[in-house]
Amino acid sequence: MSRDKNPLLDPKRHGPATQMVHGGGKRSPFNETSEAIFLNSGYSYPSSEHAELLFQNKLPGAHNYSRFANPTVDMFQDRMALIEGAEAGRAFASGMAAVTNAVMSQVRAGDHIVAAQALFGGCRYVVEDYAPRFGVESTLVDGRDLENFARAMRPNTKLVFIETPTNPTLELVDIKAVADIAHAHGAKLIVDNVFSTALYQKPLQLGADLVTYSATKHIDGQGRVLGGIVLGSKALIEGDIHTFLRQTGATLSAFNAWVLLKGLETYELRIRQMTDSAEKVAAALAGHPKVNRVIYPHHPSHPQYELAKRQMLRGSTLLSIDVGSQEAAFTLSDSLAVILISNNLGDAKSLITHPRTTTHARLTEDVRLETGVTPGLLRLSVGLESPDDLIADLLYGLDQV
């Protein structure tokens, strides 16, 4: 049988690990094994007629300017779409650029957004402060109670936005149920899926219309570059999402796209190892006399454990602990030798942060407490170090509290 008839020529037939290595690959005439980096800003055209057809969008797959069309970025977008099970994707300069595009491209003056109140600070800013400047109202609700979403919907609600698990309290929102509520009111659902990763949660399969990622996190996952991506149906991605990107220019660089492609080659291996370690760390800290609570989606103590088991294949790489006070949190963090203090997450290096004074510092104390960001809360992003070393490091730190 010839290669032409091999069913594995269709990348949709590949397993996730194979898609992460080969998905979206496009070779130049030089037949390179590693993806090429196209650092050019523009392109030349064989004829004026070709240019005319290109700018009329009548030449699919062709490129006219790297602000919104670049072969290396195409490969990253196509690979992520395969992994996510999406029809298409568009990449951005950062995760916040991706979120801002996803939200703002779907609303107009006079529209209304419903969002879960437990959001990353930057995401909450887009919904709560930025969108209203353009005549788009927003309502924030406790996302753990589905009735809150139903009560908040209005005739002009066009968008529902959630992240699950949430940052940093690892609360869960029932994606399928919220999708049903949104669609019943003619609204779209956007899910920020960073914490669970594309390996362990599939929002599009659960009814979401768009999924966003900070590719800076697990996708690069090695502290090198910024990036973001929005994934969904062809109609949404090639419509408002692409237009917003083209006109506002929050473009992912070709070099960063290439680094992210390299990151995806080890994505499954890294996330699996980090998740194995996160499970061990959560188990080791649960019940420690100086830890008020451990928050990890797949730990039986999580108040939404059954939803976590139903919605997420595994608990992923992040956990949070509450040690009672900011003083105790600072003492613990400052005593660590292996785990680094940083506001980043999803990295090969384990990172700990105090959300109250960093990622959520711009919020009022009332809002922080309302969303579970207490003075003693610490968020831990588990990396690739030996889990025994991480546990020993944390136990030493707790001994100093």
Side-chain angles (χ1 to χ4, degrees):
M1 182 179 288
S2 71
R3 181 179 182 274
D4 294 342
K5 296 181 180 179
N6 190 326
L8 289 176
L9 286 173
D10 179 0
K12 291 181 180 178
R13 291 176 174 264
H14 296 169
T18 305
Q19 289 175 340
M20 289 169 200
V21 175
H22 293 285
K26 298 176 179 67
R27 288 188 173 85
S28 79
F30 297 106
N31 289 313
E32 62 281 344
T33 55
S34 179
E35 297 80 5
I37 309 176
F38 291 88
L39 294 174
N40 53 297
S41 57
Y43 307 83
S44 63
Y45 317 119
S47 69
S48 298
E49 182 183 13
H50 180 100
E52 179 185 22
L53 292 172
L54 184 58
F55 276 81
Q56 291 174 352
N57 294 320
K58 293 180 179 178
L59 294 176
H63 300 85
N64 50 3
Y65 197 54
S66 282
R67 185 175 78 243
F68 49 88
N70 175 277
T72 312
V73 177
D74 286 354
M75 287 188 272
F76 172 63
Q77 292 171 166
D78 292 348
R79 187 171 296 179
M80 279 301 303
L82 273 174
I83 295 166
E84 191 66 35
E87 291 180 352
R90 286 296 180 273
F92 296 86
S94 69
M96 280 313 307
V99 166
T100 303
N101 177 296
V103 172
M104 298 304 295
S105 69
Q106 301 304 307
V107 292
R108 308 290 185 269
D111 290 346
H112 174 244
I113 299 169
V114 175
Q117 64 186 10
L119 295 172
F120 172 63
C123 297
R124 184 160 172 153
Y125 173 83
V126 171
V127 171
E128 191 175 28
D129 294 286
Y130 188 66
R133 298 183 189 185
F134 300 92
V136 179
E137 294 183 299
S138 62
T139 301
L140 275 67
V141 302
D142 184 335
R144 293 168 293 183
D145 185 346
L146 294 173
E147 288 301 313
N148 291 335
F149 289 100
R151 282 191 291 266
M153 301 299 287
R154 303 178 188 172
N156 64 330
T157 303
K158 295 296 189 293
L159 201 64
V160 178
F161 179 43
I162 62 174
E163 68 180 45
T164 181
T166 61
N167 181 4
T169 54
L170 298 166
E171 294 175 3
L172 303 182
V173 181
D174 188 325
I175 298 172
K176 186 179 185 306
V178 174
D180 290 343
I181 293 168
H183 296 157
H185 290 80
K188 297 182 183 71
L189 173 63
I190 299 174
V191 177
D192 182 332
N193 203 40
V194 167
F195 270 39
S196 65
T197 79
L199 285 181
Y200 298 142
Q201 187 166 268
K202 299 292 186 182
L204 296 178
Q205 294 178 11
L206 295 170
D209 298 283
L210 293 169
V211 180
T212 67
Y213 289 98
S214 170
T216 312
K217 309 306 191 287
H218 303 91
I219 294 168
D220 171 38
Q222 292 159 83
R224 301 169 298 188
V225 299
L226 300 175
I229 192 163
V230 181
L231 299 140
S233 69
K234 217 168 188 184
L236 288 176
I237 296 297
E238 295 183 358
D240 287 337
I241 298 289
H242 180 79
T243 300
F244 198 91
L245 169 62
R246 177 172 180 152
Q247 304 304 335
T248 58
T251 309
L252 180 68
S253 76
F255 178 79
N256 285 15
W258 181 81
V259 173
L260 294 169
L261 283 164
K262 297 293 99 184
L264 284 173
E265 292 182 357
T266 60
Y267 184 63
E268 185 179 47
L269 297 172
R270 288 184 288 107
I271 303 308
R272 186 170 60 214
Q273 177 61 45
M274 291 154 71
T275 300
D276 287 347
S277 294
E279 290 174 350
K280 293 175 182 177
V281 171
L285 297 184
H288 191 285
K290 293 183 180 177
V291 176
N292 290 356
R293 59 179 179 143
V294 170
I295 312 170
Y296 186 67
H298 272 219
H299 191 275
S301 64
H302 194 288
Q304 297 169 290
Y305 178 65
E306 292 304 321
L307 175 59
K309 297 287 282 187
R310 184 170 74 247
Q311 187 165 276
M312 300 172 66
L313 290 176
R314 296 189 69 187
S316 199
T317 69
L318 289 114
L319 60 132
S320 291
I321 61 172
D322 195 319
V323 291
S325 69
Q326 182 169 310
E327 180 184 9
F330 277 23
T331 298
L332 169 57
S333 299
D334 292 347
S335 301
L336 301 173
V338 176
I339 300 167
L340 306 176
I341 299 172
S342 174
N343 61 296
N344 200 11
L345 61 93
D347 198 272
K349 297 177 177 65
S350 292
L351 308 173
I352 198 165
T353 190
H354 184 247
R356 181 176 183 267
T357 54
T358 58
T359 57
H360 291 64
R362 76 166 197 87
L363 302 177
T364 66
E365 182 68 359
D366 286 345
V367 169
R368 285 194 292 262
L369 293 175
E370 183 182 35
T371 55
V373 183
T374 56
L377 189 74
L378 288 164
R379 187 193 72 198
L380 175 63
S381 174
V382 176
L384 292 174
E385 303 93 344
S386 161
D388 291 340
D389 289 340
L390 297 178
I391 292 167
D393 204 23
L394 289 161
L395 292 178
Y396 175 85
L398 287 167
D399 285 345
Q400 313 314 305
V401 171

